[in-house]
Amino acid sequence: MESESVAKAAHCLLLPFPCQGHVNPMLQLLKRLEHEGVRVTLVLHRFFSKKFHKIPTSIATEYISDGFDNGGFEEAESYKIYFQRSRQVGTQTLGELIEKLYRSGNSVDCIVYDSHLSWVLDVAKRFGILGASFLTQNLAVDSIYYHVKKGKLQIPLLEQSVLLPGLPLLAPKDVPSFLCDNESYPAMLDYILDQFSNIEDADWVLCNSFYELETDVAEWFTKILPKLRTIGPTIPSMFLDKRLEDDDYGCALLKSEECIKWLDERKKGSVCYISFGSMATLNEEQMGEIACALRDSDCCFLWVVRTTEECKLPKDFVKKSEKGLIVTWCPQLQVLAHEAVGCFVTHCGWNSTIEALSLGVPMVAMPQWTDQTTNAKYITDVLKMGLRAPADEKGIVRRESLKNCIKEMMETENGKEMKKNALNWKTLATKAVDEGGSSDRNITEFVSTLLDI
Ligand code: UDX
């Protein structure tokens, strides 16, 4: 009986873009789909599976190639070459994988693919499989790129402010960085915009955001893309959705007893957590300024400095003391959920942003590039749960500015107000994923289509 129902269950491939900030939300979606009875296979790029944190063995995993199996982007001569070849080799190897699965009686009903891999939809259509594009950034950012792709917004956006449906007025510093400087990363920009080249043809468009967070832009976007559904925040269950008890797909990948133990010994709200995600690189001058701001501030700090960035720390900087701890990686969600953490100095990657708001932690925004500038605008002016640390004319946030922002966040009435707003967002995020909430209903609707196949 059981094997019959397993054989009948819809089979879905999940194909993330190969970097940490895109794999994390896809893993959470995977877990939810499995919980709902959908049979799921995770499809990873070969280079990514070698380089990054281990994927739990309980997840059925298959591999495709981007033509650079040893180093991915880093192995290619340029982004342009990488994107061209990865599309071509990806198309071929994904097709071979679908055929292999079909031959083994494991045929595929749907592919959920990161929107950055728009070519996957062509493969899905070729095999008569449903294609669901997964937008891992927020709707505001997606809307801006969509307008550019459809020729409704001319770039570069150097001086004029931008007003788009459902969005606040955006100054050039608030739009995704590639749109102001379209010369530095032309291939990257083309690739990002390509997400919207065939999005109207996708059977579903899922987004890691929630209706209450981006109501106006969600209303506008669903008129353009009726199949768009918000399903976020895709945060590991132990933090939000209590129905799913086992947490091994998210946090356990990144376990670090040391920093949680260190936080356990700190007072409530006394620690500033600081991290710049998995990709951003800061220059030595900026690292020095941050180090001095943390050293001179009155609070404790937990600072994630990735191994590749460690050489930029001031030589005499102490890595572990009563006041501060530096780690190369941490279980970020556990850290943000810890009561010792009072504020989060962040580069404003979308995962970090939605994780912090879902856990009620106010932020000091230090955006570096890509969508982070727009996320920073939202954190400060729309969500009203953070401050943007001002940079000087060289683009460096100086120690005094950062120190003042941290102080304001941790010690003033304004800081308390932002904490209150953050907790309000936490309540709304929890409701969205809870049974009957906006994102929960959208996932249920998506799953019932799959189970009806
Ligand atoms: C990238 C882009 O930079 C970002 O702008 C885009 O929105 C998504 O892709 P990344 O820079 O890594 O992502 O930032 P972010 O989106 O914040 O994702 C980082 C992820 O790594 C988060 O899920 C965070 O919880 C996790 N993380 C980070 C850890 O688990 N431990 C750490 O020490 C640091």
Side-chain angles (χ1 to χ4, degrees), residues 25-238:
M26 194 67 102
L27 283 176
Q28 299 314 314
L29 174 60
L30 180 151
K31 184 176 176 185
R32 175 69 197 268
L33 294 180
E34 270 190 343
H35 178 78
E36 301 291 340
V38 177
R39 222 151 31 92
V40 182
T41 301
L42 180 67
V43 181
L44 292 178
H45 288 72
R46 251 181 220 115
F47 91 88
F48 184 82
S49 65
K50 285 182 200 161
K51 196 171 163 194
F52 287 84
H53 304 282
K54 276 206 177 109
I55 299 294
T57 48
S58 57
I59 302 180
T61 309
E62 293 281 355
Y63 302 92
I64 60 165
S65 175
D66 53 8
F68 300 95
D69 288 347
N70 292 318
F73 324 101
E74 286 161 20
E75 196 187 330
E77 291 148 57
S78 66
Y79 280 124
K80 188 170 176 195
I81 291 175
Y82 177 79
F83 292 136
Q84 275 170 356
R85 190 159 163 68
S86 62
R87 171 187 280 265
Q88 182 206 337
V89 180
T91 298
Q92 185 195 328
T93 53
L94 178 60
E96 287 163 5
L97 172 63
I98 293 168
E99 281 167 357
K100 182 187 98 172
L101 291 169
Y102 179 76
R103 283 195 303 273
S104 63
N106 209 3
S107 58
V108 178
D109 301 299
C110 177
I111 310 180
V112 180
Y113 58 95
D114 190 297
S115 57
H116 287 76
L117 305 170
S118 59
W119 52 266
V120 174
L121 186 60
D122 301 333
V123 180
K125 296 277 171 204
R126 182 150 58 87
F127 284 92
I129 296 169
L130 292 179
S133 174
F134 184 27
L135 301 162
T136 45
Q137 297 179 337
N138 57 17
L139 288 176
V141 167
D142 295 323
S143 160
I144 300 169
Y145 287 139
Y146 180 87
H147 279 85
V148 175
K149 181 66 186 172
K150 301 298 172 189
K152 293 176 183 164
L153 195 57
Q154 301 307 319
I155 54 171
L157 299 165
L158 291 177
E159 275 154 30
Q160 77 276 33
S161 292
V162 173
L163 188 58
L164 297 175
L167 268 65
L169 185 68
L170 301 170
K173 70 171 179 32
D174 304 324
V175 296
S177 64
F178 297 141
L179 302 180
C180 296
D181 173 18
N182 56 344
E183 302 277 297
S184 301
Y185 299 97
M188 184 99 86
L189 177 59
D190 281 351
Y191 192 75
I192 289 174
L193 295 178
D194 198 54
Q195 292 175 88
F196 300 101
S197 60
N198 60 0
I199 197 145
E200 291 86 356
D201 301 328
D203 297 289
W204 290 85
V205 181
L206 309 175
C207 180
N208 185 17
S209 184
F210 56 99
Y211 180 77
E212 294 73 12
L213 181 65
E214 296 196 272
T215 308
D216 293 345
V217 64
E219 289 285 346
W220 174 81
F221 231 148
T222 29
K223 283 188 195 123
I224 309 280
L225 300 172
K227 298 160 199 157
L228 175 75
R229 297 290 183 278
T230 45
I231 58 159
T234 54
I235 304 278
S237 51
M238 63 183 287

Side-chain angles (χ1 to χ4, degrees), residues 24 254 278 304 329-330 332 347 350-352 355 371-372:
N24 287 3
L254 314 165
S278 66
V304 176
W329 194 255
C330 78
Q332 179 161 299
H347 70 312
W350 181 238
N351 294 291
S352 292
E355 287 164 8
D371 59 329
Q372 296 155 15

